[in-house]
Amino acid sequence: QRCHSALGEGVRNYCLHRGCVGSCAPIDRPRTKPPHTERQLLSRDKSVMMTSSLRKLALTAHIASSVGLLGAVAGFLTLAIAGLFGQSPQMMRAAYLATELIAWFVIVPLAFASLLTGVVQSIGTHWGLFQHYWVLAKLSLTCFVTIILLLQMKLISYLGDTAEKMDLNSVDLFDARMSLVAHAGGGLLVLLIPTALSVYKPRGVTRYGRRKRQEEVKALIP
């Protein structure tokens, strides 16, 4: 007597009934492939996926530029505070000359590097650029900080040039110096949000992301 009870898909089936004596002849069933999950299907799409080495390189560059940008803005904030509350003209001159140099040669390049490497990493991995809300939020915040930085560069250069030409006291250009501290502090807080988003990766797929994922799954199903 043969038993038609199955142990599982894709394997041979043997008798498990209590009434059977001895072993029953095995029944061969056609092997069936397990259903593909959506993530497995999308991981096979190599048209938008980078190689492992290139992906690690892009990730390293993005982390280095993002962390470097945070550190540079923190240093800029420290110098801006020192210039705002400095008691000696020499201290204020050194602070604003240093802020101009850091802004032009460290913060601006790192801001563009962080933005560029983030876009490259998003496009080259399964996350996509506009498919997840947390990626879209990171892109928006980084663009916002970069735009505000570029708008502040005129003021930063003006304070640096003024400090180079003349001695400043505690009341000279106070509003402009206070604006430097406020924008640097706000920028530092805003930059912490993309860092948290990169760590937690909150769930949420955009409408474009859902449509794109459905199209890719249909195209990859054999």
Side-chain angles (χ1 to χ4, degrees):
Q1 181 183 359
R2 293 187 175 184
C3 172
H4 294 274
S5 299
L7 289 174
E9 292 183 3
V11 296
R12 291 191 173 185
N13 304 278
Y14 293 91
C15 177
L16 295 179
H17 290 303
R18 291 184 178 180
C20 296
V21 179
S23 60
C24 294
I27 297 177
D28 291 330
R29 292 179 180 267
R31 295 178 179 270
T32 58
K33 294 181 179 180
H36 297 286
T37 64
E38 186 175 331
R39 184 176 295 273
Q40 289 173 338
L41 289 171
L42 293 177
S43 66
R44 295 183 180 182
D45 186 8
K46 301 300 182 183
S47 61
V48 294
M49 299 288 288
M50 296 185 294
T51 63
S52 178
S53 300
L54 189 58
R55 185 172 63 252
K56 290 179 181 179
L57 178 62
L59 179 60
T60 302
H62 182 61
I63 293 175
S65 58
S66 300
V67 173
L69 180 61
L70 275 172
V73 173
F76 182 94
L77 176 61
T78 303
L79 290 172
I81 293 174
L84 180 64
F85 297 104
Q87 299 298 323
S88 64
Q90 293 79 11
M91 172 67 74
M92 298 173 67
R93 171 178 293 181
Y96 290 116
L97 289 176
T99 54
E100 184 180 11
L101 291 174
I102 290 178
W104 278 113
F105 297 104
V106 181
I107 297 180
V108 171
L110 285 177
F112 281 102
S114 177
L115 181 60
L116 179 61
T117 55
V119 170
V120 170
Q121 187 187 7
S122 299
I123 294 177
T125 61
H126 69 275
W127 292 110
L129 189 58
F130 302 108
Q131 299 183 25
H132 294 80
Y133 283 114
W134 72 271
V135 176
L136 195 59
K138 277 190 61 178
L139 176 64
S140 302
L141 289 172
T142 306
C143 289
F144 173 76
V145 170
T146 303
I147 292 173
I148 297 299
L149 170 63
L150 294 177
L151 293 177
Q152 286 291 306
M153 288 307 300
K154 184 178 181 180
L155 176 61
I156 295 171
S157 297
Y158 174 73
L159 286 174
D161 294 341
T162 303
E164 184 179 7
K165 295 176 182 178
M166 58 177 290
D167 291 337
L168 297 175
N169 55 46
S170 58
V171 296
D172 290 337
L173 303 174
F174 181 81
D175 291 340
R177 290 154 52 205
M178 187 65 193
S179 176
L180 231 62
V181 175
H183 281 88
L188 185 62
L189 293 177
V190 172
L191 286 173
L192 290 174
I193 299 177
T195 304
L197 290 174
S198 298
V199 174
Y200 289 99
K201 294 181 176 61
R203 296 182 179 180
V205 181
T206 63
R207 182 178 301 177
Y208 167 79
R210 288 192 295 268
R211 185 173 66 253
K212 183 73 173 178
R213 181 170 294 183
Q214 291 173 358
E215 294 174 356
E216 291 175 351
V217 169
K218 290 180 181 178
L220 291 171
I221 293 177

